[in-house]
């Protein structure tokens, strides 16, 4: 039992990077994992904001940070951190050696200027 109906703890992450950025040779700042289906998308500071786009398309309201050392969950519906932290199917983050921003080799030199705020 997860304590939230929009969380499927058995859904594995879709990969180690943002699905859409990988498909278009894009880059991301930080990653978020959909707690309902495992889709990994880039955060709202990233140029393409694919995690939010996934929420808008699917209605899956809960994401977890997919950054090493972070375990917080965000609820798009309430625009707030969840007060529960269920364990999802591993891995809980992208590989520790994968840089943020990432992926290596695709991040522009002026990446800080390209972040969304």
């Amino acid at each position: 039992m997860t304590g939230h109906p929009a969380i499927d703890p058995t859904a594995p992450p879709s990969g180690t990077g943002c699905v859409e950025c990988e498909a278009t040779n894009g880059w991301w700042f930080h990653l978020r994992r959909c707690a309902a289906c495992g889709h990994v998308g880039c955060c709202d500071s990233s140029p393409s904001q694919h995690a939010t786009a996934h929420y808008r398309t699917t209605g899956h309201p809960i994401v977890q940070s997919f950054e090493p050392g972070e375990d917080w969950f965000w609820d798009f519906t309430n625009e707030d951190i969840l007060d529960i932290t269920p364990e999802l199917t591993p891995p809980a983050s992208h590989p520790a050696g994968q840089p943020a921003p990432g992926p290596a080799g695709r991040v522009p030199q002026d990446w800080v200027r390209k972040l969304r705020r």
Side-chain angles (χ1 to χ4, degrees):
M1 184 73 171
T2 66
H4 197 287
I7 296 174
D8 178 357
T10 66
S14 60
T16 60
C18 175
V19 174
E20 291 83 3
C21 287
E22 291 286 17
T24 61
N25 287 321
W27 64 278
W28 55 81
F29 183 48
H30 288 134
L31 298 171
R32 307 293 178 242
R33 173 187 178 174
C34 176
C37 71
H39 174 273
V40 176
C42 53
C43 72
D44 282 353
S45 294
S46 300
S48 297
Q49 303 176 328
H50 288 123
T52 295
H54 176 76
Y55 159 64
R56 289 183 180 140
T57 300
T58 64
H60 297 165
I62 310 297
V63 292
Q64 182 181 31
S65 174
F66 202 56
E67 295 299 315
E70 297 182 358
D71 65 357
W72 54 265
F73 286 76
W74 177 259
D75 183 344
F76 283 108
T77 306
N78 299 320
E79 296 185 355
D80 200 6
I81 298 285
L82 282 182
D83 60 357
I84 58 172
T85 54
E87 285 193 37
L88 302 181
T89 297
S93 71
H94 65 75
Q98 180 177 306
R106 291 206 311 248
V107 180
Q109 273 192 320
D110 63 343
W111 66 269
V112 172
R113 292 185 30 195
K114 296 178 187 287
L115 292 179
R116 300 181 74 120
R117 299 182 197 239

